[in-house]
């Protein structure tokens, strides 16, 4: 187990390194100078010949491998960054200074994690709270009218693009019907603003994520349960006279959860990496919102930070899922 985890961590480090190199190269050899957006912003679109100053101070006149080396070194020991005539101290782990806000990217990233984490926890909780039990119930009543109605309705909901579903949820519950609980969406600190303000601000985003996500988890769970309940060991358990509840939940569900956990691990990692549509529609200024602003504003340090953060989260999520495999299903062994 330990050797397996070490191997996965090493491969994860290599993946993160390749991602950082790819983003660096894409910006470096892009159709326009990476210094152009910040030069235009600070000179009110009268950059002109000043672009050379920004390119020189930002290091874009140097070889790409040299600047990438400085970036990697800054992650471990920190560095001093120069933008035009201003210097910024960036302590380790230094992910750069935002071209838009002139704030250390690391500090902005940390400040936005609670908002994204709140979205992910609430949405993922509703995924499982409703998706798994409904999927089990549908599998136990396979072929019945209730089963067909559930599968058809959930298939219809999941066929709607999520951004449209979330937008309609927000429009109807906040604008059309003006439900009091949903009037003020967004992230509020549970400490500074109070737990109720935090809950009410996040609740509509959780509802949209939960309803849309549980439709998929209902289908995942139902399919896995139908396959699991048709296995030989289930028939043997029935022949021994074990109670139906024990057969379904102790034997059938345990095996059926393995593929569900696989999908959930990836989905939860994706949620933690930043839910762009959810955060943008419900005005939650988390990592997804931040990444969208960085891409549109060509803010290289922020794009790099959000991409690396997403990669690390997804790698860790997949590693945790692989370890949980051996607990849920004794037939799975890590080699």
């Amino acid at each position: 187990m330990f050797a397996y985890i070490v191997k996965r961590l090493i491969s994860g480090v290599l993946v993160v390194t390749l991602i950082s190199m790819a983003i660096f190269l894409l910006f470096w050899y892009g159709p326009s100078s990476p210094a152009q957006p910040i030069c235009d912003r600070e000179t009110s679109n009268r950059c002109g010949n000043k672009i050379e100053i920004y390119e020189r101070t930002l290091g874009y006149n140097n070889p790409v491998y040299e600047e990438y080396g400085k970036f990697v070194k800054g992650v471990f020991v920190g560095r001093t960054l120069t933008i035009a005539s201003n210097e910024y101290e960036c302590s380790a782990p230094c992910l750069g200074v935002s071209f838009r806000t002139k704030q250390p990217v690391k500090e902005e990233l940390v400040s936005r994690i609670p908002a994204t984490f709140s979205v992910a926890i609430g949405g993922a909780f509703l995924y499982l709270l409703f998706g798994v039990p409904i999927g089990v119930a549908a599998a136990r009543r396979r072929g019945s009218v209730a089963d067909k109605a559930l599968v058809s309705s959930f298939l219809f909901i999941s066929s709607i693009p999520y951004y449209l579903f979330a937008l309609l949820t927000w429009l109807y519950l906040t604008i059309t019907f003006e439900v009091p609980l949903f009037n003020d969406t967004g992230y509020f600190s549970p400490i500074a603003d109070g737990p109720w303000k935090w809950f009410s601000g996040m609740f509509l985003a959780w509802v949209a994520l939960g309803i849309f996500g549980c439709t998929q988890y209902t289908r995942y769970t139902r399919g896995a349960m139908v396959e699991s309940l048709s296995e030989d060991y289930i028939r043997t358990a029935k022949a021994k006279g074990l109670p139906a509840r024990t057969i379904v939940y102790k034997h059938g569900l345990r095996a059926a959860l393995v593929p569900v956990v696989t999908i959930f691990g990836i989905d939860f990692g994706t949620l933690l990496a930043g839910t762009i549509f959810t955060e943008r529609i419900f005005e939650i200024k988390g990592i997804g919102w931040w990444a969208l602003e960085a891409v549109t504003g060509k803010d290289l340090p922020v794009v790099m930070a959000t991409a690396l953060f997403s990669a690390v989260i997804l790698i860790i999520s997949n590693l945790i899922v692989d370890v949980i495999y051996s607990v849920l299903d004794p037939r799975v062994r890590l080699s």
Side-chain angles (χ1 to χ4, degrees), residues 109 112-124 127 209 264-276 279 286-291 305-318 320:
L109 176 64
R112 293 172 186 271
I113 287 177
T116 297
F117 189 77
S118 297
V119 174
I121 289 295
Y127 282 179
L209 272 174
F264 178 75
I266 298 173
D267 285 349
F268 186 66
T270 304
L271 288 174
L272 286 176
T275 52
I276 293 177
E279 293 180 7
I287 294 173
W289 178 305
W290 190 42
T306 53
L308 294 180
F309 178 79
S310 301
V312 170
I313 290 296
L314 289 173
I315 289 168
I316 294 175
S317 299
N318 285 324
I320 293 174

Side-chain angles (χ1 to χ4, degrees), residues 170-242:
W170 178 79
L171 287 174
Y172 277 102
L173 295 180
T174 60
I175 305 298
T176 304
F177 298 109
E178 297 183 355
V179 179
L181 182 61
F182 304 141
N183 280 343
D184 197 8
T185 59
Y187 174 75
F188 301 94
S189 171
I191 298 175
D193 302 303
W196 175 249
K197 187 73 172 176
W198 168 79
F199 178 83
S200 62
M202 301 297 300
F203 189 65
L204 188 55
W206 292 340
V207 168
L209 272 174
I211 293 175
F212 195 84
C214 84
T215 61
Q216 301 177 54
Y217 279 85
T218 296
R219 290 187 288 111
Y220 297 151
T221 306
R222 180 189 177 279
M225 279 296 295
V226 167
E227 183 178 352
S228 175
L229 293 176
S230 64
E231 294 287 347
D232 291 339
Y233 67 88
I234 296 294
R235 286 192 287 269
T236 302
K238 290 179 180 178
K240 290 181 177 180
L242 291 179

